[in-house]
Amino acid sequence: MTTYQQVLRLTPAMSFSWRRAQHVIEHNVMNYRRNWFYLVSGFFEPLFYLLGIGLGLGRLVGSLSVDGHPVSYATFVAPGLLAAAAMNGAMWDATFNFFFKLKVEKTFETMLATPLSVLDVACGELGWTLIRGAIYSSGFLVVMSIFGYCQSPLAILCLPAAGLISLAFGACGLAATSFMRSWQDLGTVSLAMLPMFLFSGTFYGLTFYPGWLQAIIRLTPLYQGVALLRDLDVGVLTPVMWVHVGYLCLLTLIGFIVVSHRLVRLLTP
Amino acid sequence: MDVLPDVIVEARGLQKFFGEVEAVRGIDFSIQRGEVFGFLGPNGAGKTSTMRMISCMSPRSAGKLLVRGHDPAESGSEIRRGIGLVPQDDALDSEMSVLDNLHIYGRYFDIPRKEIRARAKVLLEFAQLTDRADSKVDNLSGGMRRRLTIARALISRPELVILDEPTTGLDPQARHLVWERLYQLRREGVTLIITTHYMDEAEQLCDRLVVMDRGLIVGAGTPRSLIEKTVAREVVEVRLDDGNYLSLVDRLGDHIDRAEILGDRLCCYGEDGDQILDLILALGIHPASSLVRRATLEDVFLFLTGRSLVD
């Protein structure tokens, strides 16, 4: 009986069509048409960090080394901020906006009264976090190249890598948000993200930390992303990059599975 | 299960559990194409759970269910393509304009943008919202929002429209406007399923209805047949100063079909209310107040469940 009920529950919810998922993205685009200012404003945050800390503070720091390549401090910081831009873009939609649609506006219930399925909704929302992350990271990458912080033609690979960072954070953010009961709960996500932004190798290397703390920081998705982008930016290809890529792919997969199951539970009781 | 082509929804032994709670406890009904079918009952009777199962938004726990000839457990997406749902809480996109709400909803059904624009124009007129097309939903009144939700449900030209408490929370004027629109849909041959806890709404709108209570169907039929079959055509309500209702019922004997004591008044049911009242007066009893009226679904509900419909 249990399996029969599970099949009943999962089959219709888990049907998927890429075309239908696109309409979920379309919903987000339409929503932002009236609120484009919010979309654009998010781009400036990493830019201000780059100018303030990379350029300003960088004069006091001098040059650093990445994989034996001597680079200016701003060049060191830029890939870290690129990773943070990819993270923040995805997280903003995966947390506050997703919660609003899930709990306040009941957007997804409306969608599920149409041919759309839960899996369409989950894919569409994840797709939109990727798009928003990609808007910020590609904009920031253009700024980096204009300022001369891209050290190698391979830096173009930062774009798909930043996309992967957005996907990993988007999927985990959606999964975490699906467990939140109130706006206050969402505050804990912001609380976790700020130290991650500051201490995951974004502004300085891990050698400052004791060994055990380094090991913990290496487990954060932002560190994995920063390390990946920093190597690509100076044009160094190492096998360890596959570990970063694999780790971010795994997080994306886990986050996506969790959020899909949570949405089935929450939306089709 | 054989389904005639003119049956649009068929349920046999339909059940819904939420953990230990049995929201729907095995109900049978079949809804004909083109009719207005009502689910009448108090809050918590299982109406919304039944609606969610019919609209393929919630899987059934047991029993059989066919909607538009398909099993919701297998082809939910396909079934929903032909259904327009008007949920209780509207669930509109409050940040978007009236027109954008119609537009995005049409996109969920894969309708081309140009076609949506043409349909939206007609629907805005239908909902009397043409001059509010660019207003933000946030700025609409309750009645306007409900009309927009109905218009939104129609953008895919569904053959079945499901309305969960369509006029709850609306003022009388807004209610009549919604009713008018629902009559219009019925004339156009759309099948309507309506849940309500307003007996007048059920009587006005429904061709057939079922009365639900605590997850079960306790009565079924056309509104009039249900009233005449279950109670009687007319009712006399009397208030007595001495409150000695039992002796009055005794003395009326076979002259009334049945009687119910409702708080501080007595309801006597029979074919001719005036005749019953004359009889009471002839017995030398002078009620503090009296009222002769037609029996309503409220009386049916009272009779079937022993409780009043709206608390």
Side-chain angles (χ1 to χ4, degrees):
Chain A
M1 192 63 192
T2 316
T3 38
Y4 180 58
Q5 283 184 347
Q6 275 171 353
V7 170
L8 272 186
R9 169 174 288 254
L10 291 181
T11 326
M14 288 304 174
S15 79
F16 174 71
S17 137
W18 172 233
R19 201 181 155 81
R20 295 196 306 245
Q22 277 177 312
H23 298 319
V24 179
I25 295 176
E26 205 175 329
H27 172 263
N28 284 298
V29 173
M30 280 186 77
N31 231 340
Y32 272 105
R33 252 191 357 206
R34 282 196 173 218
N35 300 312
W36 59 270
F37 178 76
Y38 294 108
L39 198 65
V40 173
S41 65
F43 166 75
F44 290 97
E45 189 183 304
L47 189 63
F48 291 153
Y49 273 107
L50 183 66
L51 297 176
I53 293 184
L55 274 177
L57 203 63
R59 288 181 193 206
L60 305 173
V61 179
S63 72
L64 285 153
S65 138
V66 174
D67 292 317
H69 296 254
V71 293
S72 72
Y73 182 65
T75 308
F76 176 84
V77 166
L81 289 171
L82 177 60
M87 168 179 85
N88 285 328
M91 282 305 267
W92 187 247
D93 271 297
T95 54
F96 289 94
N97 290 342
F98 182 66
F99 186 81
F100 180 69
K101 286 179 275 188
L102 182 64
K103 293 285 167 76
V104 183
E105 196 95 317
K106 312 258 186 231
T107 310
F108 303 136
E109 294 204 18
T110 301
M111 289 177 175
L112 293 183
T114 73
L116 269 55
S117 71
V118 170
L119 205 56
D120 299 331
V121 170
C123 279
E125 285 298 310
L126 182 60
W128 173 246
T129 64
L130 168 63
I131 289 171
R132 182 140 183 211
I135 291 172
Y136 294 152
S137 47
S138 55
F140 192 78
L141 195 61
V142 169
V143 171
M144 274 172 67
S145 65
I146 291 170
F147 279 68
Y149 299 145
C150 293
Q151 300 289 294
S152 143
L154 282 180
I156 191 71
L157 291 178
C158 286
L159 207 54
L164 187 57
I165 294 169
S166 293
L167 273 179
F169 275 100
C172 292
L174 293 173
T177 305
S178 71
F179 288 94
M180 305 290 160
R181 291 153 303 172
S182 64
W183 292 107
Q184 280 77 10
D185 285 353
L186 276 175
T188 56
V189 177
S190 312
L191 197 66
M193 281 175 60
L194 186 62
M196 185 151 50
F197 170 60
L198 291 174
F199 306 128
S200 295
T202 327
F203 296 105
Y204 46 88
L206 294 193
T207 44
F208 291 93
Y209 300 120
W212 62 270
L213 193 54
Q214 283 188 30
I216 291 174
I217 289 174
R218 278 177 209 281
L219 286 177
T220 67
L222 187 59
Y223 171 80
Q224 297 287 327
V226 170
L228 180 61
L229 294 185
R230 198 161 274 151
D231 280 352
L232 287 173
D233 186 49
V234 294
V236 176
L237 293 177
T238 61
V240 79
M241 280 177 165
W242 291 111
V243 176
H244 303 318
V245 169
Y247 184 86
L248 293 171
C249 285
L250 186 68
L251 277 185
T252 306
L253 189 67
I254 292 172
F256 183 73
I257 290 171
V258 170
V259 72
S260 301
H261 280 266
R262 283 291 297 168
L263 288 182
V264 169
R265 246 185 116 90
L266 293 170
L267 297 172
T268 62
Chain B
M1 181 163 34
D2 280 327
V3 174
L4 298 165
D6 50 301
V7 171
I8 197 160
V9 183
E10 171 105 59
R12 292 283 169 261
L14 184 62
Q15 293 181 44
K16 182 71 195 180
F17 316 129
F18 295 103
E20 295 293 298
V21 181
E22 290 180 72
V24 179
R25 302 191 290 160
I27 58 173
D28 299 343
F29 56 85
S30 62
I31 300 171
Q32 307 289 317
R33 208 172 281 274
E35 74 175 334
V36 181
F37 193 91
F39 286 84
L40 178 68
N43 293 330
K47 302 182 308 259
T48 299
S49 296
T50 307
M51 289 310 105
R52 286 179 61 88
M53 287 191 279
I54 296 174
S55 51
C56 312
M57 293 175 71
S58 169
R60 64 182 183 267
S61 304
K64 287 185 175 173
L65 180 64
L66 281 185
V67 184
R68 300 181 63 229
H70 301 281
D71 183 345
E74 279 153 21
S75 24
S77 190
E78 203 31 59
I79 296 172
R80 289 194 299 266
R81 204 165 273 286
I83 294 182
L85 182 74
V86 180
Q88 222 174 104
D89 54 0
D90 294 332
L92 294 158
D93 272 297
S94 59
E95 296 284 309
M96 288 191 198
S97 72
V98 168
L99 195 60
D100 282 353
N101 264 277
L102 293 177
H103 186 96
I104 190 64
Y105 204 74
R107 294 297 294 151
Y108 298 154
F109 287 85
D110 272 335
I111 305 168
R113 291 184 179 85
K114 200 176 152 196
E115 175 66 24
I116 292 177
R117 274 196 292 277
R119 290 188 195 181
K121 197 161 173 269
V122 178
L123 285 172
L124 285 174
E125 256 162 54
F126 170 84
Q128 302 192 350
L129 288 169
T130 306
D131 52 345
R132 303 302 295 263
D134 296 317
S135 304
K136 242 170 92 167
V137 165
D138 259 348
N139 304 328
L140 299 184
S141 71
M144 289 174 177
R145 291 168 68 102
R146 189 56 51 86
R147 266 145 43 209
L148 174 57
T149 311
I150 293 172
R152 183 179 71 171
L154 298 175
I155 194 106
S156 58
R157 297 195 173 145
E159 58 173 351
L160 172 63
V161 176
I162 299 175
L163 302 111
D164 198 2
E165 309 267 352
T167 64
T168 299
L170 299 189
D171 59 45
Q173 207 183 348
R175 254 182 116 195
H176 280 279
L177 194 49
V178 168
W179 285 359
E180 217 171 274
R181 290 298 166 254
L182 297 183
Y183 285 130
Q184 191 178 336
L185 285 178
R186 175 192 169 175
R187 281 198 296 276
E188 288 165 12
V190 178
T191 310
L192 300 178
I193 302 179
I194 295 172
T195 77
T196 181
H197 59 250
Y198 295 124
M199 59 196 170
D200 56 337
E201 182 160 278
E203 274 188 69
Q204 290 262 347
L205 291 174
C206 299
D207 298 315
R208 287 195 308 136
L209 57 89
V210 293
V211 180
M212 283 190 82
D213 185 44
R214 295 176 183 158
L216 289 172
I217 289 177
V218 291
T222 67
R224 272 282 92 175
S225 78
L226 204 53
I227 292 165
E228 285 169 18
K229 191 172 69 190
T230 320
V231 278
R233 277 166 53 92
E234 297 198 335
V235 193
V236 183
E237 291 188 17
V238 290
R239 282 194 172 77
L240 297 183
D241 287 330
D242 63 0
N244 196 353
Y245 294 123
L246 288 177
S247 100
L248 174 59
V249 173
D250 261 356
R251 292 170 70 184
L252 287 169
D254 286 343
H255 295 286
I256 54 172
D257 290 353
R258 51 179 296 102
E260 292 274 352
I261 299 170
L262 259 188
D264 64 342
R265 67 205 147 105
L266 175 73
C267 296
C268 302
Y269 297 87
E271 276 305 296
D272 187 339
D274 288 321
Q275 212 173 25
I276 296 171
L277 186 59
D278 288 345
L279 195 63
I280 293 172
L281 296 172
L283 288 168
I285 293 165
H286 297 283
S289 68
S290 64
L291 169 73
V292 177
R293 60 171 174 84
R294 269 159 71 94
T296 65
L297 286 171
E298 175 85 49
D299 300 299
V300 172
F301 189 81
L302 180 76
F303 170 71
L304 292 173
T305 68
R307 284 174 300 113
S308 169
L309 193 54
V310 183
D311 299 324

